[in-house]
Amino acid sequence: MSDATPAQSPIWMGILVAVAILSSFALACGMPFAAIGALAALTLGPRDALVLAGIAWSTNQIIGFGFLGYPYDLLTFAWGAALGISALAAVVGAVLALRPFGSGSLALLPIAFIAAWASQQGAVFLASLVLGASEIAFAPAVLWFIFWTNALAFTALVLVQVIGARIGMARPIAITSQRSVNA
């Protein structure tokens, strides 16, 4: 982003984390990590986007273990770590998918979202090969549910981000040629 683009307000970052918290209570392990990762990739530098995804994941785990009764066993902890990796994968996937486009329009939103979702689900699938998962976890109906809940969450987050940009608390959604995983 150019120097003329305002920094993401710490208050705004808190609002996005609050959305993650509310999502955790509403969706439990169905946290919309792909939606958060795509929005983070569109509005933050890659490092900050990864930090936001990590905060969203951490918050989700605190709520899960602290309030939703996740069991304290090795497999649950391992799946928690796998979900953390998948949240980071969502950001990396979106950043990499946007990189070839340089500057662009909001028409690239679907590219960021689909790349984030595919990367996040790919990481979950790879984890399932090691940790085990029932076949139903990757049934078309389940994948469709995860896709559309993330799509709805992404739409809501984009609308919230646009409002935040209009009131001066958030960066506008923009794709710039400065995006790279190393930035």
Side-chain angles (χ1 to χ4, degrees):
M1 303 226 126
S2 71
D3 292 336
T5 303
Q8 196 87 324
S9 158
I11 294 169
W12 192 252
M13 296 295 288
I15 289 170
L16 293 178
V17 170
V19 169
I21 291 169
L22 293 174
S23 297
S24 291
F25 278 116
L27 301 171
C29 67
M31 176 79 162
F33 290 123
I36 293 167
L39 183 72
L42 287 163
T43 59
L44 299 169
R47 285 188 191 129
D48 289 342
L50 289 168
V51 167
L52 180 61
I55 290 170
W57 167 79
S58 298
T59 303
N60 173 262
Q61 295 301 293
I62 290 167
I63 290 168
F65 286 106
F67 299 101
L68 298 178
Y70 290 3
Y72 291 93
D73 61 41
L74 187 57
L75 186 58
T76 305
F77 292 134
W79 269 110
L83 289 176
I85 292 167
S86 79
L88 299 176
V91 171
V92 172
V95 168
L96 292 175
L98 294 172
R99 184 187 283 175
F101 294 103
S103 295
S105 70
L106 296 180
L108 295 177
L109 289 170
I111 292 171
F113 172 72
I114 291 169
W117 183 80
S119 299
Q120 191 268 333
Q121 285 299 295
V124 170
F125 178 75
L126 291 175
S128 75
L129 297 176
V130 175
L131 300 175
S134 71
E135 290 178 17
I136 197 157
F138 295 99
V142 172
L143 291 175
W144 177 247
F145 175 78
I146 293 168
F147 181 84
W148 75 259
T149 56
N150 271 277
L152 288 174
F154 182 63
T155 301
L157 286 169
V158 166
L159 291 174
V160 169
Q161 185 74 24
V162 167
I163 291 167
R166 291 204 183 230
I167 62 174
M169 291 181 70
R171 286 183 176 168
I173 296 173
I175 296 103
T176 67
S177 59
Q178 297 174 4
R179 299 214 186 279
S180 74
V181 177
N182 298 325

